[in-house]
Amino acid sequence: MNAIPRSRNRVVVVALFVLALYALLAFGVYAGLTSHVLGANDFYSRWAGARALLLRGENPYSDAVTREIQIGMYGRLALPGEDQVAFAYPLYVIFLIAPFVPLPYALAQAGWMALLVLAVFGGAVALIHFYRLPTSPLLLVALPFSALLFYPSVRGIFNGQITLASFFFIAMALWAIGANAEVAAGILLALATIKPQPAILLTPIVLIWAWRQRRLKIVASALGALSVFAGVAVLLVPTWLSDFLEGIRRYAQYEPVGPPVQILAEYIFSGGWSWVFTVAASLALLGWLCAHAARALDNSWSKFQTTIGLAALVSTLMAGRMGTPDQLLLLIPWALWLGTWLRDGEKSRAALAGLGLLILPWFVFLITLRGNAEHLVVGLALPFLSLAVYLWQTIRIDRLPPRQEV
């Protein structure tokens, strides 16, 4: 009889602790950074667009709002070859940004960056529980803090990248499915689409698996939440979907840097051959994922984990314009591998792999840094390292002798 009140009390205590930690983080970021220097450009264009809509009723996709964002960020209109910093996200992203809209940007940026820190930490904790990593109390603290030092995390936090929030929703959804919190899992999968690229393959694959497994609450809650988000967005801006698609088309013109597969193709080939390689490699990766998923749809959730990891890897390699902060998604397969090695008693391998994962992208960034711009090659290091580890791990498992029944 006392179990339920105790459980509720624990939830309240944890919630209060998280709120206090968030307030402390936000104050620290404001006092130490944003009160002196403004930044987080990826967040600014979304914050300014949401502000235009919620405070003045203007369409955030409009040219007038885009010009306002450019002047606020650059102090002038953007040049033709520059990032036009338009509001090129699904409109329902404003539901997440709305609490920051009334604040001056220095306070809004501090609050948003603090929220991203908690998102990375919380997402890492969710993956630890999702994969049931065999961790000591020290590792349970060290692994999420290591995730905060991960190159995509650091770059994403300082750029104010919404993709970190999307990663958090995906990781929490995976944990929720394992915990049989199906309605929550569906809503979290829908929330993950606020940044389409990380969720574009993972969300459909998980929903197809849930449909096949007759876990229909996951499917219904995800589709229902997406319908509510899109419907409310239509009430606010009736043309938002077509405006969003047009924004994506324009974004592809002024931001030509594509996913890692395209970057690699442009290094190897010239002219039209790079496009041919990009399309062929993307189709091959997508076909590989579909074939793998088709064989795994009847598996239990625990056995479907390798498919989830592959979906995250393929998304990072070829799903649209994936910047280095989007590569935080690679923590999904890496958490699986680290957990596998720890359970097999291969602690040295897990430790070396973890250190390599942290050090490699920073090393590539530093040796290629010229001025204050990230070199394109930085975007190749993590995805292709992860692809190599995936292939090696798959071949290694296939060569292991079958376990004998006791």
Side-chain angles (χ1 to χ4, degrees):
M1 292 292 291
N2 294 328
I4 293 177
R6 287 176 183 173
S7 177
R8 287 176 180 171
N9 289 339
R10 192 178 298 116
V11 170
V12 171
V13 170
V14 171
L16 290 175
F17 173 77
V18 171
L19 285 174
L21 179 61
Y22 172 72
L24 185 62
L25 277 171
F27 174 77
V29 174
Y30 176 75
L33 179 64
T34 64
S35 61
H36 308 290
V37 180
L38 298 179
N41 290 352
D42 190 74
F43 174 63
Y44 179 81
S45 57
R46 265 44 80 180
W47 173 83
R51 192 177 175 88
L53 174 62
L54 297 177
L55 299 185
R56 304 195 305 267
E58 298 180 29
N59 184 344
Y61 300 100
S62 68
D63 291 338
V65 172
T66 299
R67 288 192 293 270
E68 179 184 313
I69 294 171
Q70 292 172 356
I71 292 171
M73 189 176 295
Y74 297 136
R76 54 171 172 77
L77 296 179
L79 301 175
E82 289 182 312
D83 187 345
Q84 302 299 296
V85 295
F87 186 93
Y89 275 65
L91 186 64
Y92 49 84
V93 74
I94 66 168
F95 303 150
L96 190 61
I97 297 173
F100 303 99
V101 163
L103 302 176
Y105 186 66
L107 286 173
Q109 181 191 342
W112 180 252
M113 291 177 70
L115 191 65
L116 294 184
V117 169
L118 293 182
V120 173
F121 192 92
V125 171
L127 290 179
I128 289 171
H129 287 280
F130 169 56
Y131 288 121
R132 298 179 181 176
L133 268 66
T135 56
S136 64
L138 177 63
L139 279 177
L140 193 59
V141 175
L143 289 176
F145 274 106
S146 297
L148 287 172
L149 299 176
F150 193 35
Y151 178 81
S153 303
V154 175
R155 187 168 181 83
I157 290 167
F158 279 95
N159 285 349
Q161 279 274 354
I162 290 172
T163 191
L164 273 60
S166 184
F167 160 77
F168 170 76
F169 291 134
I170 290 171
M172 290 296 293
L174 299 178
W175 183 13
I177 293 173
N180 294 317
E182 299 188 347
V183 173
I187 295 171
L188 288 163
L189 286 171
L191 284 169
T193 64
I194 57 172
K195 178 74 181 280
Q197 292 97 315
I200 196 168
L201 297 178
L202 272 165
T203 294
I205 282 176
V206 171
L207 292 182
I208 292 170
W209 173 87
W211 179 271
R212 187 68 172 262
Q213 295 289 320
R214 294 294 185 264
R215 299 183 69 171
L216 301 183
K217 288 182 180 179
I218 300 172
V219 181
S221 57
L223 297 180
L226 274 174
S227 298
V228 170
F229 299 160
V232 174
V234 167
L235 294 177
L236 293 171
V237 180
T239 61
W240 81 265
L241 183 56
S242 60
D243 293 341
F244 167 58
L245 295 175
E246 175 62 17
I248 292 176
R249 187 190 68 79
R250 292 183 180 180
Y251 183 78
Q253 294 176 342
Y254 62 75
E255 188 62 45
V257 178
V261 165
Q262 181 183 340
I263 296 172
L264 180 64
E266 290 173 352
Y267 270 111
I268 299 174
F269 302 100
S270 60
W273 285 109
S274 64
W275 181 84
V276 171
F277 178 88
T278 300
V279 173
S282 298
L283 290 174
L285 287 167
L286 193 58
W288 179 27
L289 174 60
C290 290
H292 191 286
R295 293 193 300 270
L297 286 175
D298 291 327
N299 289 344
S300 65
W301 183 235
S302 61
K303 292 183 179 179
F304 197 65
Q305 292 174 354
T306 56
T307 306
I308 298 297
L310 181 59
L313 175 57
V314 171
S315 298
T316 306
L317 284 165
M318 52 77 63
R321 277 152 175 77
M322 297 288 286
T324 47
D326 298 302
Q327 295 175 11
L328 185 62
L329 200 64
L330 291 172
L331 285 184
I332 293 175
W334 276 97
L336 172 62
W337 300 328
L338 291 173
T340 300
W341 297 330
L342 288 172
R343 277 189 290 270
D344 291 345
E346 298 173 331
K347 295 181 180 179
S348 297
R349 175 176 291 162
L352 288 173
L355 285 173
L357 186 64
L358 284 176
I359 293 171
L360 177 65
W362 283 109
F363 175 75
V364 175
F365 169 72
L366 291 173
I367 65 172
T368 59
L369 183 62
R370 299 293 182 272
N372 61 356
E374 178 190 67
H375 197 283
L376 288 178
V377 75
V378 180
L380 300 179
L382 282 172
F384 286 101
L385 170 66
S386 303
L387 178 61
V389 172
Y390 187 96
L391 294 173
W392 172 80
Q393 183 73 358
T394 302
I395 293 169
R396 174 175 171 267
I397 290 174
D398 289 344
R399 288 181 176 177
L400 289 176
R403 294 181 180 179
Q404 296 182 354
E405 299 292 336
V406 178

